[in-house]
Amino acid sequence: MLYLIGLGLADEKDITVKGLEIVRKAERVYLEAYTSILLVNHEKLEAFYGRPLILADREMVESASDEILADADKVDVAFLVVGDPFGATTHSDLLLRARQLSIPTQTIHNASIMNAIGTTGLQLYNFGQTVSMPFFTDSWKPSSFYDRVAENRRIGLHTLVLLDIKVKEPSLENLARGRKIYEPPRFMTVAECAVQMLETEEERKEGVYGERSLAVGVARVGSTEQKIISGTLRELTSIDMGPPLHSLVLLGKRTHDLERDVLAEWAVNPEVLNEVWTKDYAKQ
């Protein structure tokens, strides 16, 4: 059997009992190590699980899946994913390859940012499409996320923005030269995301959002070090939310006063939040 096991959001203890039982009996255990991270290192996971973990980077998962699936029709293989296996990255391709090889599969679900974002006080029913924000470069500033945000905003829905991470990735120069030399890990912050969103609005000039648009930044959701800050996009451009991982929510106009009351607790400036809410968001 190939097991896809969600690890939850924070540390080694977030795994489910069912998932832990499978990990401890599996022949091999892989830790997917490129779409997200836990707040503890893999050595701490190994100590708690009582098993060695094979780090599975993007290259292994996308190009060497045969290694992961080897003999999985005869023995149990566990593939661990931070959050839920069908959260931000579905890993459907790995499941399809397994099924093509007549390997049975089973998924053990867990919490992910997709549902835990409710900790902000925003109602999950009022979220639209989730988008991803990549790191911009001087020559590459993709804005496809902007169109999805616009669609959400037209029907009043909030947008969850997942922020880019760079783990074991080569620079463009090393990639062009075929050198396997990797850049240090990078994790986008809420402030960087807010800056890039305003830069994109300035470029597109379609009025989808602006400096006064309300947003919520979150960091390390699900941990004892969780942090939530609400305010305007302009206010969030100068916020330091500490270590990764970060995410951001851009508010839609389909809001409830209860959401306002909760967000006021996290506000950079409650007076500004209430003023913007009353003028731009209330009773829309």
Side-chain angles (χ1 to χ4, degrees):
M1 180 83 74
L2 171 68
Y3 292 94
L4 266 65
I5 301 174
L7 297 183
L9 290 167
D11 58 35
E12 73 278 10
K13 295 181 180 179
D14 281 354
I15 192 171
T16 64
V17 173
K18 183 184 293 185
L20 184 58
E21 289 175 346
I22 293 168
V23 166
R24 287 179 172 170
K25 73 180 181 65
E27 182 78 11
R28 300 191 309 278
V29 184
Y30 294 90
L31 174 62
E32 191 260 70
Y34 65 92
T35 60
S36 189
I37 60 167
L38 288 177
L39 303 181
V40 295
N41 58 38
H42 81 277
E43 288 84 5
K44 193 165 186 178
L45 295 180
E46 289 180 330
F48 185 76
Y49 299 159
R51 296 296 313 280
L53 302 179
I54 305 167
L55 293 182
D57 58 17
R58 185 188 301 274
E59 184 178 356
M60 172 181 282
V61 176
E62 295 181 352
S63 304
S65 62
D66 290 347
E67 180 179 338
I68 297 172
L69 298 175
D71 296 325
D73 56 336
K74 304 179 183 68
V75 299
D76 290 332
V77 175
F79 186 81
L80 311 184
V81 181
V82 175
D84 185 88
F86 295 103
T89 301
T90 65
H91 299 97
S92 296
D93 190 47
L94 186 63
L95 283 181
L96 287 173
R97 295 180 207 176
R99 290 166 184 167
Q100 289 168 358
L101 296 170
S102 300
I103 296 171
T105 64
Q106 183 177 344
T107 301
I108 311 300
H109 295 284
N110 209 319
S112 78
I113 191 62
M114 305 290 283
N115 55 20
I117 197 64
T119 193
T120 58
L122 298 174
Q123 298 174 7
L124 291 180
Y125 287 163
N126 286 339
F127 277 78
Q129 303 169 84
T130 297
V131 303
S132 297
M133 174 66 76
F135 279 111
F136 286 179
T137 68
D138 291 340
S139 60
W140 188 69
K141 298 181 180 182
S143 61
S144 59
F145 72 89
Y146 186 90
D147 301 314
R148 306 288 81 76
V149 174
E151 291 173 6
N152 289 343
R153 297 276 285 183
R154 278 196 290 272
I155 52 178
L157 300 180
H158 310 314
T159 301
L160 171 61
V161 185
L162 304 178
L163 310 191
D164 201 2
I165 71 173
K166 300 290 188 185
V167 178
K168 198 179 179 183
E169 294 197 18
S171 67
L172 292 176
E173 180 182 355
N174 287 328
L175 188 63
R177 295 173 179 270
R179 299 184 300 202
K180 289 190 176 182
I181 301 175
Y182 302 104
E183 297 287 290
R186 295 174 62 202
F187 304 93
M188 183 179 289
T189 67
V190 163
E192 289 172 320
C193 178
V195 167
Q196 291 190 179
M197 292 190 77
L198 291 177
E199 184 178 341
T200 302
E201 177 60 50
E202 178 64 24
E203 176 70 23
R204 297 283 294 263
K205 291 182 168 53
E206 297 175 29
V208 172
Y209 51 80
E211 293 190 354
R212 283 172 52 87
S213 295
L214 293 180
V216 187
V218 298
R220 302 171 298 283
V221 171
S223 77
T224 57
E225 304 300 320
Q226 175 175 295
K227 189 170 185 177
I228 304 172
I229 294 180
S230 62
T232 65
L233 267 181
R234 173 53 61 191
E235 287 175 326
L236 294 188
T237 62
S238 58
I239 288 298
D240 181 1
M241 300 196 67
L245 292 170
H246 295 189
S247 298
L248 182 141
V249 179
L250 190 66
L251 266 65
K253 295 296 181 73
R254 186 184 297 177
T255 55
H256 190 281
D257 284 345
L258 182 61
E259 292 177 305
R260 186 265 322 270
D261 294 342
V262 176
L263 292 183
E265 297 185 13
W266 322 117
V268 176
N269 187 325
E271 291 183 1
V272 171
L273 185 141
N274 283 325
E275 185 267 325
V276 173
W277 184 284
T278 300
K279 184 176 180 180
D280 300 335
Y281 289 81
K283 299 179 181 178
Q284 294 291 328

